Amino acid sequence: MMKESRILLVGKTIKILLASFLLVSSLHAIDINNAVNIALENNFDLDSQKSEVDKSKESKNAALGTMLPKIDLKYTFNKRDELITGQIKEDSTASAVISYNLFNGFTDIFNYQSATAIMKAQVLSLEALKQDIKLNVKQRYIAVLNAQKSYKTY
């Protein structure tokens, strides 16, 4: 349902762009490649899909991070105003813990594979959206040319 509304929105946007091109066609002619480039540059759905691709790339990196070793560093410094027997005025503690998950039931591997597949799907979805926009613009452009041709013949 959402994809259909996006396609309708893209179609309306393209119609508006081409209608505005018709109005100024006497002032400045636009070719089909220029119309496609303008549509690709000014499409908000395309920007949204690019953000989804970026988000999926970050998810893939996060999934990879679960398979890497973890290092925890800690430092504590204490300075006491009043001393109890056996204490010193200042002391500090430092610790470092390195951990690595050797086996997690293949969960980390499957999460990484899933994130990679989702990222590839998002990239393909972006490319499909670009191709849909190009097709719609070219179809509308040809429709405008046909309308101009039929208008001139009457």
Side-chain angles (χ1 to χ4, degrees):
M1 181 79 176
M2 188 172 174
K3 189 168 185 167
E4 291 173 1
S5 64
R6 278 188 176 176
I7 291 173
L8 289 174
L9 182 64
V10 169
K12 288 179 183 179
T13 305
I14 292 169
K15 285 179 186 177
I16 292 170
L17 280 172
L18 289 175
S20 64
F21 294 146
L22 264 180
L23 292 174
V24 296
S25 64
S26 61
L27 301 174
H28 177 68
I30 184 169
D31 67 340
I32 195 165
N33 293 326
N34 196 5
V36 168
N37 290 336
I38 290 170
L40 289 175
E41 289 171 5
N42 297 319
N43 192 292
F44 294 117
D45 288 336
L46 205 56
D47 294 338
S48 174
Q49 187 60 36
K50 287 178 185 175
S51 296
E52 290 296 321
V53 169
D54 292 340
K55 185 173 101 175
S56 66
K57 285 180 182 177
E58 291 303 321
S59 294
K60 179 184 171 189
N61 289 339
L64 179 63
T66 61
M67 292 188 277
L68 299 175
K70 294 175 180 54
I71 301 174
D72 296 319
L73 301 173
K74 182 179 178 182
Y75 179 77
T76 305
F77 177 77
N78 295 316
K79 184 175 182 179
R80 296 175 185 82
D81 292 332
E82 297 180 19
L83 297 176
I84 300 175
T85 308
Q87 285 186 334
I88 56 175
K89 186 162 180 96
E90 294 179 353
D91 66 347
S92 60
T93 307
S95 65
V97 178
I98 299 174
S99 60
Y100 183 73
N101 187 4
L102 292 176
F103 185 71
N104 194 15
F106 298 111
T107 302
D108 295 336
I109 293 170
F110 291 141
N111 285 340
Y112 179 73
Q113 289 173 346
S114 173
T116 301
I118 290 171
M119 185 200 67
K120 288 178 182 177
Q122 292 294 344
V123 169
L124 291 174
S125 180
L126 174 64
E127 188 58 34
L129 182 61
K130 285 181 185 178
Q131 295 303 323
D132 286 343
I133 292 168
K134 289 178 184 180
L135 176 65
N136 286 333
V137 169
K138 289 178 181 181
Q139 287 174 337
R140 304 277 191 251
Y141 189 87
I142 291 170
V144 168
L145 291 178
N146 287 336
Q148 284 179 338
K149 183 179 179 183
S150 65
Y151 177 73
K152 288 180 183 177
T153 58
Y154 286 115

PDB file of all heavy atoms in Angstrom, residues 4-28:
ATOM      1  N   GLU A   4       2.523   1.789  -3.378  1.00  0.00           N
ATOM      2  CA  GLU A   4       1.605   2.341  -4.362  1.00  0.00           C
ATOM      3  C   GLU A   4       1.453   3.840  -4.172  1.00  0.00           C
ATOM      4  O   GLU A   4       1.412   4.590  -5.148  1.00  0.00           O
ATOM      5  CB  GLU A   4       0.245   1.659  -4.243  1.00  0.00           C
ATOM      6  CG  GLU A   4       0.252   0.207  -4.684  1.00  0.00           C
ATOM      7  CD  GLU A   4      -1.066  -0.488  -4.405  1.00  0.00           C
ATOM      8  OE1 GLU A   4      -2.000   0.157  -3.880  1.00  0.00           O
ATOM      9  OE2 GLU A   4      -1.165  -1.687  -4.707  1.00  0.00           O
ATOM     10  N   SER A   5       1.382   4.296  -2.906  1.00  0.00           N
ATOM     11  CA  SER A   5       1.255   5.733  -2.665  1.00  0.00           C
ATOM     12  C   SER A   5       2.527   6.461  -3.074  1.00  0.00           C
ATOM     13  O   SER A   5       2.465   7.588  -3.556  1.00  0.00           O
ATOM     14  CB  SER A   5       0.922   5.997  -1.198  1.00  0.00           C
ATOM     15  OG  SER A   5       1.972   5.581  -0.364  1.00  0.00           O
ATOM     16  N   ARG A   6       3.685   5.821  -2.890  1.00  0.00           N
ATOM     17  CA  ARG A   6       4.932   6.438  -3.342  1.00  0.00           C
ATOM     18  C   ARG A   6       4.943   6.579  -4.857  1.00  0.00           C
ATOM     19  O   ARG A   6       5.339   7.593  -5.396  1.00  0.00           O
ATOM     20  CB  ARG A   6       6.133   5.593  -2.913  1.00  0.00           C
ATOM     21  CG  ARG A   6       6.576   5.815  -1.525  1.00  0.00           C
ATOM     22  CD  ARG A   6       7.863   5.081  -1.288  1.00  0.00           C
ATOM     23  NE  ARG A   6       8.363   5.347   0.030  1.00  0.00           N
ATOM     24  CZ  ARG A   6       9.422   4.786   0.538  1.00  0.00           C
ATOM     25  NH1 ARG A   6      10.089   3.901  -0.163  1.00  0.00           N
ATOM     26  NH2 ARG A   6       9.829   5.079   1.745  1.00  0.00           N
ATOM     27  N   ILE A   7       4.482   5.536  -5.548  1.00  0.00           N
ATOM     28  CA  ILE A   7       4.462   5.579  -7.003  1.00  0.00           C
ATOM     29  C   ILE A   7       3.504   6.659  -7.473  1.00  0.00           C
ATOM     30  O   ILE A   7       3.802   7.406  -8.411  1.00  0.00           O
ATOM     31  CB  ILE A   7       4.097   4.191  -7.575  1.00  0.00           C
ATOM     32  CG1 ILE A   7       5.238   3.205  -7.314  1.00  0.00           C
ATOM     33  CG2 ILE A   7       3.812   4.273  -9.065  1.00  0.00           C
ATOM     34  CD1 ILE A   7       4.929   1.777  -7.673  1.00  0.00           C
ATOM     35  N   LEU A   8       2.339   6.782  -6.808  1.00  0.00           N
ATOM     36  CA  LEU A   8       1.399   7.838  -7.166  1.00  0.00           C
ATOM     37  C   LEU A   8       2.003   9.210  -6.916  1.00  0.00           C
ATOM     38  O   LEU A   8       1.843  10.121  -7.721  1.00  0.00           O
ATOM     39  CB  LEU A   8       0.102   7.683  -6.378  1.00  0.00           C
ATOM     40  CG  LEU A   8      -0.782   6.496  -6.769  1.00  0.00           C
ATOM     41  CD1 LEU A   8      -1.958   6.377  -5.815  1.00  0.00           C
ATOM     42  CD2 LEU A   8      -1.272   6.637  -8.197  1.00  0.00           C
ATOM     43  N   LEU A   9       2.710   9.351  -5.787  1.00  0.00           N
ATOM     44  CA  LEU A   9       3.348  10.614  -5.467  1.00  0.00           C
ATOM     45  C   LEU A   9       4.423  10.947  -6.492  1.00  0.00           C
ATOM     46  O   LEU A   9       4.527  12.080  -6.942  1.00  0.00           O
ATOM     47  CB  LEU A   9       3.943  10.572  -4.058  1.00  0.00           C
ATOM     48  CG  LEU A   9       4.617  11.848  -3.566  1.00  0.00           C
ATOM     49  CD1 LEU A   9       3.585  12.957  -3.461  1.00  0.00           C
ATOM     50  CD2 LEU A   9       5.251  11.615  -2.219  1.00  0.00           C
ATOM     51  N   VAL A  10       5.206   9.943  -6.876  1.00  0.00           N
ATOM     52  CA  VAL A  10       6.242  10.150  -7.891  1.00  0.00           C
ATOM     53  C   VAL A  10       5.585  10.546  -9.205  1.00  0.00           C
ATOM     54  O   VAL A  10       6.040  11.461  -9.897  1.00  0.00           O
ATOM     55  CB  VAL A  10       7.099   8.869  -8.058  1.00  0.00           C
ATOM     56  CG1 VAL A  10       7.983   8.965  -9.277  1.00  0.00           C
ATOM     57  CG2 VAL A  10       7.938   8.633  -6.823  1.00  0.00           C
ATOM     58  N   GLY A  11       4.498   9.871  -9.566  1.00  0.00           N
ATOM     59  CA  GLY A  11       3.792  10.183 -10.806  1.00  0.00           C
ATOM     60  C   GLY A  11       3.263  11.601 -10.806  1.00  0.00           C
ATOM     61  O   GLY A  11       3.381  12.325 -11.805  1.00  0.00           O
ATOM     62  N   LYS A  12       2.687  12.032  -9.683  1.00  0.00           N
ATOM     63  CA  LYS A  12       2.180  13.403  -9.581  1.00  0.00           C
ATOM     64  C   LYS A  12       3.307  14.411  -9.664  1.00  0.00           C
ATOM     65  O   LYS A  12       3.180  15.449 -10.322  1.00  0.00           O
ATOM     66  CB  LYS A  12       1.406  13.581  -8.268  1.00  0.00           C
ATOM     67  CG  LYS A  12       0.072  12.870  -8.249  1.00  0.00           C
ATOM     68  CD  LYS A  12      -0.630  13.070  -6.936  1.00  0.00           C
ATOM     69  CE  LYS A  12      -1.934  12.294  -6.901  1.00  0.00           C
ATOM     70  NZ  LYS A  12      -2.632  12.461  -5.625  1.00  0.00           N
ATOM     71  N   THR A  13       4.422  14.121  -9.007  1.00  0.00           N
ATOM     72  CA  THR A  13       5.574  15.011  -9.065  1.00  0.00           C
ATOM     73  C   THR A  13       6.089  15.145 -10.492  1.00  0.00           C
ATOM     74  O   THR A  13       6.390  16.246 -10.948  1.00  0.00           O
ATOM     75  CB  THR A  13       6.700  14.484  -8.150  1.00  0.00           C
ATOM     76  OG1 THR A  13       6.191  14.310  -6.841  1.00  0.00           O
ATOM     77  CG2 THR A  13       7.867  15.436  -8.123  1.00  0.00           C
ATOM     78  N   ILE A  14       6.155  14.031 -11.180  1.00  0.00           N
ATOM     79  CA  ILE A  14       6.638  14.050 -12.558  1.00  0.00           C
ATOM     80  C   ILE A  14       5.666  14.815 -13.448  1.00  0.00           C
ATOM     81  O   ILE A  14       6.087  15.599 -14.311  1.00  0.00           O
ATOM     82  CB  ILE A  14       6.864  12.608 -13.055  1.00  0.00           C
ATOM     83  CG1 ILE A  14       8.047  11.983 -12.305  1.00  0.00           C
ATOM     84  CG2 ILE A  14       7.128  12.577 -14.557  1.00  0.00           C
ATOM     85  CD1 ILE A  14       8.207  10.508 -12.516  1.00  0.00           C
ATOM     86  N   LYS A  15       4.358  14.639 -13.238  1.00  0.00           N
ATOM     87  CA  LYS A  15       3.362  15.371 -14.027  1.00  0.00           C
ATOM     88  C   LYS A  15       3.513  16.868 -13.820  1.00  0.00           C
ATOM     89  O   LYS A  15       3.451  17.649 -14.770  1.00  0.00           O
ATOM     90  CB  LYS A  15       1.947  14.932 -13.648  1.00  0.00           C
ATOM     91  CG  LYS A  15       1.556  13.586 -14.190  1.00  0.00           C
ATOM     92  CD  LYS A  15       0.146  13.229 -13.753  1.00  0.00           C
ATOM     93  CE  LYS A  15      -0.221  11.822 -14.161  1.00  0.00           C
ATOM     94  NZ  LYS A  15      -1.559  11.436 -13.690  1.00  0.00           N
ATOM     95  N   ILE A  16       3.715  17.264 -12.574  1.00  0.00           N
ATOM     96  CA  ILE A  16       3.880  18.691 -12.274  1.00  0.00           C
ATOM     97  C   ILE A  16       5.141  19.227 -12.942  1.00  0.00           C
ATOM     98  O   ILE A  16       5.133  20.314 -13.534  1.00  0.00           O
ATOM     99  CB  ILE A  16       3.909  18.929 -10.749  1.00  0.00           C
ATOM    100  CG1 ILE A  16       2.534  18.636 -10.154  1.00  0.00           C
ATOM    101  CG2 ILE A  16       4.347  20.343 -10.422  1.00  0.00           C
ATOM    102  CD1 ILE A  16       2.498  18.592  -8.644  1.00  0.00           C
ATOM    103  N   LEU A  17       6.224  18.464 -12.853  1.00  0.00           N
ATOM    104  CA  LEU A  17       7.469  18.894 -13.496  1.00  0.00           C
ATOM    105  C   LEU A  17       7.294  19.037 -14.999  1.00  0.00           C
ATOM    106  O   LEU A  17       7.695  20.040 -15.595  1.00  0.00           O
ATOM    107  CB  LEU A  17       8.598  17.894 -13.212  1.00  0.00           C
ATOM    108  CG  LEU A  17       9.286  17.984 -11.863  1.00  0.00           C
ATOM    109  CD1 LEU A  17      10.233  16.807 -11.678  1.00  0.00           C
ATOM    110  CD2 LEU A  17      10.049  19.283 -11.746  1.00  0.00           C
ATOM    111  N   LEU A  18       6.673  18.056 -15.615  1.00  0.00           N
ATOM    112  CA  LEU A  18       6.503  18.112 -17.063  1.00  0.00           C
ATOM    113  C   LEU A  18       5.520  19.196 -17.477  1.00  0.00           C
ATOM    114  O   LEU A  18       5.704  19.835 -18.517  1.00  0.00           O
ATOM    115  CB  LEU A  18       6.088  16.742 -17.602  1.00  0.00           C
ATOM    116  CG  LEU A  18       7.204  15.694 -17.558  1.00  0.00           C
ATOM    117  CD1 LEU A  18       6.680  14.344 -18.003  1.00  0.00           C
ATOM    118  CD2 LEU A  18       8.385  16.102 -18.413  1.00  0.00           C
ATOM    119  N   ALA A  19       4.498  19.427 -16.661  1.00  0.00           N
ATOM    120  CA  ALA A  19       3.566  20.512 -16.972  1.00  0.00           C
ATOM    121  C   ALA A  19       4.267  21.850 -16.904  1.00  0.00           C
ATOM    122  O   ALA A  19       4.058  22.726 -17.756  1.00  0.00           O
ATOM    123  CB  ALA A  19       2.382  20.469 -16.017  1.00  0.00           C
ATOM    124  N   SER A  20       5.136  22.012 -15.914  1.00  0.00           N
ATOM    125  CA  SER A  20       5.881  23.271 -15.824  1.00  0.00           C
ATOM    126  C   SER A  20       6.863  23.402 -16.982  1.00  0.00           C
ATOM    127  O   SER A  20       7.096  24.501 -17.477  1.00  0.00           O
ATOM    128  CB  SER A  20       6.609  23.369 -14.487  1.00  0.00           C
ATOM    129  OG  SER A  20       7.582  22.358 -14.383  1.00  0.00           O
ATOM    130  N   PHE A  21       7.407  22.281 -17.440  1.00  0.00           N
ATOM    131  CA  PHE A  21       8.283  22.323 -18.605  1.00  0.00           C
ATOM    132  C   PHE A  21       7.509  22.722 -19.854  1.00  0.00           C
ATOM    133  O   PHE A  21       8.026  23.410 -20.721  1.00  0.00           O
ATOM    134  CB  PHE A  21       8.968  20.978 -18.831  1.00  0.00           C
ATOM    135  CG  PHE A  21       9.930  20.594 -17.748  1.00  0.00           C
ATOM    136  CD1 PHE A  21      10.099  19.268 -17.387  1.00  0.00           C
ATOM    137  CD2 PHE A  21      10.675  21.543 -17.065  1.00  0.00           C
ATOM    138  CE1 PHE A  21      10.978  18.911 -16.394  1.00  0.00           C
ATOM    139  CE2 PHE A  21      11.547  21.199 -16.062  1.00  0.00           C
ATOM    140  CZ  PHE A  21      11.706  19.882 -15.728  1.00  0.00           C
ATOM    141  N   LEU A  22       6.256  22.287 -19.948  1.00  0.00           N
ATOM    142  CA  LEU A  22       5.425  22.652 -21.091  1.00  0.00           C
ATOM    143  C   LEU A  22       5.185  24.158 -21.121  1.00  0.00           C
ATOM    144  O   LEU A  22       5.210  24.778 -22.182  1.00  0.00           O
ATOM    145  CB  LEU A  22       4.082  21.934 -21.021  1.00  0.00           C
ATOM    146  CG  LEU A  22       3.938  20.647 -21.810  1.00  0.00           C
ATOM    147  CD1 LEU A  22       2.555  20.074 -21.614  1.00  0.00           C
ATOM    148  CD2 LEU A  22       4.225  20.858 -23.266  1.00  0.00           C
ATOM    149  N   LEU A  23       4.952  24.719 -19.941  1.00  0.00           N
ATOM    150  CA  LEU A  23       4.666  26.145 -19.878  1.00  0.00           C
ATOM    151  C   LEU A  23       5.860  26.988 -20.294  1.00  0.00           C
ATOM    152  O   LEU A  23       5.701  28.035 -20.900  1.00  0.00           O
ATOM    153  CB  LEU A  23       4.230  26.535 -18.460  1.00  0.00           C
ATOM    154  CG  LEU A  23       2.886  25.973 -18.005  1.00  0.00           C
ATOM    155  CD1 LEU A  23       2.644  26.305 -16.550  1.00  0.00           C
ATOM    156  CD2 LEU A  23       1.766  26.504 -18.876  1.00  0.00           C
ATOM    157  N   VAL A  24       7.042  26.521 -19.966  1.00  0.00           N
ATOM    158  CA  VAL A  24       8.228  27.302 -20.309  1.00  0.00           C
ATOM    159  C   VAL A  24       8.947  26.744 -21.525  1.00  0.00           C
ATOM    160  O   VAL A  24      10.052  27.167 -21.832  1.00  0.00           O
ATOM    161  CB  VAL A  24       9.208  27.381 -19.107  1.00  0.00           C
ATOM    162  CG1 VAL A  24       8.602  28.123 -17.958  1.00  0.00           C
ATOM    163  CG2 VAL A  24       9.686  26.017 -18.692  1.00  0.00           C
ATOM    164  N   SER A  25       8.311  25.814 -22.215  1.00  0.00           N
ATOM    165  CA  SER A  25       8.988  25.196 -23.353  1.00  0.00           C
ATOM    166  C   SER A  25       9.275  26.196 -24.456  1.00  0.00           C
ATOM    167  O   SER A  25      10.228  26.048 -25.214  1.00  0.00           O
ATOM    168  CB  SER A  25       8.173  24.029 -23.896  1.00  0.00           C
ATOM    169  OG  SER A  25       6.939  24.496 -24.407  1.00  0.00           O
ATOM    170  N   SER A  26       8.449  27.231 -24.543  1.00  0.00           N
ATOM    171  CA  SER A  26       8.711  28.230 -25.568  1.00  0.00           C
ATOM    172  C   SER A  26       9.916  29.090 -25.195  1.00  0.00           C
ATOM    173  O   SER A  26      10.591  29.632 -26.052  1.00  0.00           O
ATOM    174  CB  SER A  26       7.481  29.115 -25.771  1.00  0.00           C
ATOM    175  OG  SER A  26       7.176  29.780 -24.562  1.00  0.00           O
ATOM    176  N   LEU A  27      10.190  29.187 -23.889  1.00  0.00           N
ATOM    177  CA  LEU A  27      11.338  29.970 -23.447  1.00  0.00           C
ATOM    178  C   LEU A  27      12.627  29.163 -23.461  1.00  0.00           C
ATOM    179  O   LEU A  27      13.679  29.661 -23.836  1.00  0.00           O
ATOM    180  CB  LEU A  27      11.101  30.509 -22.030  1.00  0.00           C
ATOM    181  CG  LEU A  27       9.879  31.396 -21.842  1.00  0.00           C
ATOM    182  CD1 LEU A  27       9.705  31.723 -20.369  1.00  0.00           C
ATOM    183  CD2 LEU A  27      10.011  32.658 -22.672  1.00  0.00           C
ATOM    184  N   HIS A  28      12.531  27.909 -23.027  1.00  0.00           N
ATOM    185  CA  HIS A  28      13.727  27.082 -22.908  1.00  0.00           C
ATOM    186  C   HIS A  28      13.339  25.624 -23.137  1.00  0.00           C
ATOM    187  O   HIS A  28      12.542  25.073 -22.395  1.00  0.00           O
ATOM    188  CB  HIS A  28      14.345  27.250 -21.510  1.00  0.00           C
ATOM    189  CG  HIS A  28      15.542  26.392 -21.273  1.00  0.00           C
ATOM    190  ND1 HIS A  28      16.729  26.575 -21.915  1.00  0.00           N
ATOM    191  CD2 HIS A  28      15.719  25.334 -20.449  1.00  0.00           C
ATOM    192  CE1 HIS A  28      17.585  25.655 -21.503  1.00  0.00           C
ATOM    193  NE2 HIS A  28      16.996  24.894 -20.605  1.00  0.00           N
TER     194      HIS A  28
END
